[in-house]
Amino acid sequence: MNKSRAITTSAVITTSAYLGFVLLIGISYCVYWTSMEPLAFMRDFKEKFPLFVPGAVATMIPATVLTLLLAINRKEAPEARRAWIVAASVLLAVNAITMVYHIPVNLGFMKESYKASEVAGKLQLWVILHWVRVVLALVASVYAVIAFEKEVLHTRG
């Protein structure tokens, strides 16, 4: 496998892996956490959230970096490049949501710095924005596959 194909394959794999990662959180922990009492939730979140960090780092960072590099560098395959641009743009939006909302709120949950009356609202918005990230990750994955297909067709044609 040449270097270019390895990069595109890695971009598809990491983008799809991120989708699986956030989908798992959505269908398991979002349901579990929203069923808990606020203070019990924050204690549970404090214990479990550090376990999610390696999965997020191992999927989101490579997916974002690789799709961004492909979006910038695939000038010889304009159809593939357009699909990589969509995938990268969507992943950048996911990163923005994560940085602006999820990380600060996660830290607040872990420090148990919210009053019980605040937790439900913050967690509800957390869950809603998490599902936005799931949908965006799905879009990124679909466009990564489309881009890969366009690259294969370009190299054959």
Side-chain angles (χ1 to χ4, degrees), residues 25-46:
I25 291 169
I27 61 176
S28 60
Y29 281 96
C30 286
V31 174
Y32 170 64
W33 285 329
T34 57
S35 72
M36 300 176 81
E37 293 296 320
L39 298 178
F41 154 70
M42 286 194 293
R43 285 189 296 275
D44 190 72
F45 189 89
K46 181 179 184 175

Side-chain angles (χ1 to χ4, degrees), residues 11-147:
V12 171
I13 290 169
T14 56
T15 302
S16 300
Y18 179 71
L19 170 61
F21 175 74
V22 292
L23 185 59
L24 173 66
I25 291 169
I27 61 176
S28 60
Y29 281 96
C30 286
V31 174
Y32 170 64
W33 285 329
T34 57
S35 72
M36 300 176 81
E37 293 296 320
L39 298 178
F41 154 70
M42 286 194 293
R43 285 189 296 275
D44 190 72
F45 189 89
K46 181 179 184 175
E47 180 183 316
K48 292 188 174 89
F49 179 74
L51 302 172
F52 297 121
V53 174
V57 170
T59 57
M60 173 47 84
I61 292 172
T64 303
V65 169
L66 292 171
T67 57
L68 197 54
L69 286 172
L70 291 162
I72 292 167
N73 292 323
R74 286 299 189 254
K75 295 175 182 152
E76 74 283 351
E79 288 183 32
R81 184 176 190 215
R82 281 191 289 276
W84 286 123
I85 288 170
V86 172
S89 299
V90 170
L91 288 174
L92 288 172
V94 169
N95 279 287
I97 293 167
T98 302
M99 296 294 173
V100 170
Y101 188 78
H102 285 97
I103 289 178
V105 172
N106 290 350
L107 294 173
F109 288 152
M110 291 178 67
K111 292 177 185 174
E112 299 180 39
S113 61
Y114 302 119
K115 296 176 191 167
S117 60
E118 297 175 292
V119 173
K122 290 195 178 294
L123 181 55
Q124 182 178 17
L125 184 55
W126 191 101
V127 169
I128 290 167
L129 290 174
H130 181 77
W131 282 107
V132 170
R133 293 189 303 179
V134 171
V135 170
L136 293 174
L138 175 61
V139 171
S141 295
V142 167
Y143 274 89
V145 170
I146 290 169

Side-chain angles (χ1 to χ4, degrees), residues 143-155:
Y143 274 89
V145 170
I146 290 169
F148 183 84
E149 177 187 40
K150 299 290 185 190
E151 286 196 23
V152 169
L153 293 173
H154 177 78
T155 57

